[in-house]
Amino acid sequence: MILHDITLLNIGAYRGYNDFDLNTTTEKPVILIGGQNGAGKTTFLNAIKLGIFGAYSLGYKTENAEYFNYVHSTLNHTALKTKDHNFGIKIHFSLTEAFKTTEYLLHRKWTFNKDQKLKETVYLTGNGKLFSDSEIDLFFGKLKENMPPQILDLCLFDGEEISRIIIENNLSTHIEKVSKVAFNLELFETLEADLNKYSKQVIDQSSLKKEEKALIDIQEQLLVKRENLNESSNRLTHLQNEHLIVSDEINAAKKTFTNFGGIVKTEHEDMLKQINQLDHTRARRKEEIKNFVATLLPFYLAKDLLVETRNQLSSENDSLLYNKLNSALSDEALSKLTKELNLTDSDFLKKQILKTIEPTSLSNDLHNASFSETSLVENVFLEITKENKLTANAELLEANRQDKAVIRTLKDKIKVHDQNTEFNTIINDIESLTTKLQSITSEIEILQAQISTITNELQTLVDKENNVKNALRNINKFENSFAHSQAIIEMSTKFREIQMSKKMQTVQVKSLAMLNQIFRKEDYISSIIINPTTFEVRIKNNRDEDIELKTISAGEKEILLISIIWAIFEVSNKKVPFIFDTLLGRLDKHHKESLLKTFIPNSGTQAIVLSTDSEIDESHYDLLVPHLSHSYKLMFDTQTSETTVHEGYFEF
């Protein structure tokens, strides 16, 4: 699925019609959407999913009260108050099936009936042909199979979500989820679950052979054991992560105790906050002064020359008009005109016409300026004469000098405050954290023992299950539906395992290639190994030695994860838009530059980047410019609580 353009009509903070052109080219596959926090970036993402999938995007099979409550909450409040009950999301996208691309235009519209109840209407065209209601139902049924809503969630590189996955050590779980959806293997798991359910429903328990009853009992035990193992493993992961956090807190407290002897509290934090605010204000003023110096100051310094140039251009324009009209009044034209006016002297008529526009003196063409160039000179003249910005910028310089003095005073106060110590508080914190760490360690040891026991019991049950299945094959030869369903389940399971193993081999190669393009440490990682069953990730160095994941930084783990996710979609051959939302927060300068120069422009046919001006600043923006097809800036008006969409990114 490739998105071409989206129109939001009275959705969220977007009042009226708001259009986003998302068309890209091979050379410029990136769309950049900038906005401060709360400007409407999340609303834009949610609108894509809601517009395409409707109720199914929330997990509902059909429209219901909960779905319409959700839709109502997304509608623009001002439009609701003013009874402008015209709301909708229009999405133009394309899908490629069997090497054939179809252009779709989907319009999901909401109105209120006479009882003030929300009503949804869907219009769909494919290559210009309007679909009937039955054709729309068939289209969405097929779309849900080939492009489920989870796909859009999984191709969204949300910086906060990726950080959470890394912190909670859920790397394997997330890779498993992405792989199953991208490779459509969830369909086989659903088939297996349905067959198990069917087997239990159709089997007459009284006529079951002893082995069949034993198999059902074993499978029920396996289900319980696997749930217990999953719960214990999740709890163990959580505790291990908490163990690391508490250990880091203890080390940090000890380091603070040793080096500084305490931490300054509220007053220290307030002064630091004030310093940061003053620094931000001074930087803003500096930028304003810099802009003034680079644009208008030269014209203030050369004002006399500007006035002289303006007068010269005006004189040249008068002369140009006079000469053009003189040339245009040919003898033939004048003869015709004198006849129509019943005049006899054409020369006299020409002189009288030219006299009305004759300049005081004919000017030499020094500049030969175009209309637009003359307008630019006039605009600059008006800009420097309507108000004196020299004084305003001098005041900005003085304000910066005063704020610098305030900052110096605050820093002196902080220096004095930092000499105060809080040894007792730190000692108590260390003791409390140490007790907590001991408790966590004890629980981890207990859980590890439980997991070992459950794993052994699980293996024993699996062996029993295999023995009973073999006995059933010999006894029954698949003569009843139970045996057939078990065979299909087993075949489906093996197929999933084989497919996943094959896919993961390719994913390992592609993710390694991408990783080494981004990584700061050149050739540091020589191979990536992903277990196709547990989805545990192992990495090795160029000496073929395992690298412990806990030894690499959180930022490097993020790069590892997004490289693997990208490789999974690459192997799946699903053409989807990759969406990057505040992805750069935890990365250092080198890795940010690598992502912007190497990963994002090469991630696929279409990459949509959502960012604030602090995340993608001027230097980062310059890296993306060669790859940009379109850029937008979302501006939120706090007085009207509305967002407007502007072409271009933030001005630096």
Side-chain angles (χ1 to χ4, degrees), residues 603-614:
S603 60
T605 306
Q606 186 177 54
I608 301 174
V609 181
L610 305 169
S611 174
T612 62
D613 58 346
S614 60

Side-chain angles (χ1 to χ4, degrees), residues 590-631:
H590 174 86
H591 289 139
K592 284 181 181 179
E593 292 179 355
S594 295
L595 279 178
L596 293 170
K597 290 169 59 178
T598 304
F599 180 74
I600 291 178
N602 296 292
S603 60
T605 306
Q606 186 177 54
I608 301 174
V609 181
L610 305 169
S611 174
T612 62
D613 58 346
S614 60
E615 185 186 28
I616 294 185
D617 55 21
E618 185 175 7
S619 61
H620 297 139
Y621 175 74
D622 291 339
L623 296 176
L624 275 180
V625 164
H627 312 289
L628 286 181
S629 280
H630 300 284
S631 60

Side-chain angles (χ1 to χ4, degrees), residues 66 68 71 153 156 164 180 341 367 374-375 466 477 534 545 566 590:
E66 289 80 7
F68 282 117
V71 172
D153 291 333
L156 166 61
R164 186 189 63 77
K180 289 180 178 179
L341 297 175
H367 302 291
T374 303
S375 298
N466 291 333
K477 296 297 181 183
T534 65
E545 299 170 342
W566 168 83
H590 174 86

Side-chain angles (χ1 to χ4, degrees), residues 549-602:
L549 286 179
K550 64 182 180 182
T551 63
I552 65 176
S553 69
E556 289 171 333
K557 288 178 185 174
E558 286 187 15
I559 292 172
L560 173 63
L561 176 58
I562 63 177
S563 298
I564 293 173
I565 295 173
W566 168 83
I568 290 171
F569 278 100
E570 188 77 0
V571 173
S572 74
N573 288 321
K574 288 188 183 295
K575 300 299 180 185
V576 294
F578 284 101
I579 303 172
F580 304 89
D581 186 10
T582 58
L583 183 63
L584 308 178
R586 299 170 62 91
L587 304 179
D588 58 31
K589 179 181 178 182
H590 174 86
H591 289 139
K592 284 181 181 179
E593 292 179 355
S594 295
L595 279 178
L596 293 170
K597 290 169 59 178
T598 304
F599 180 74
I600 291 178
N602 296 292

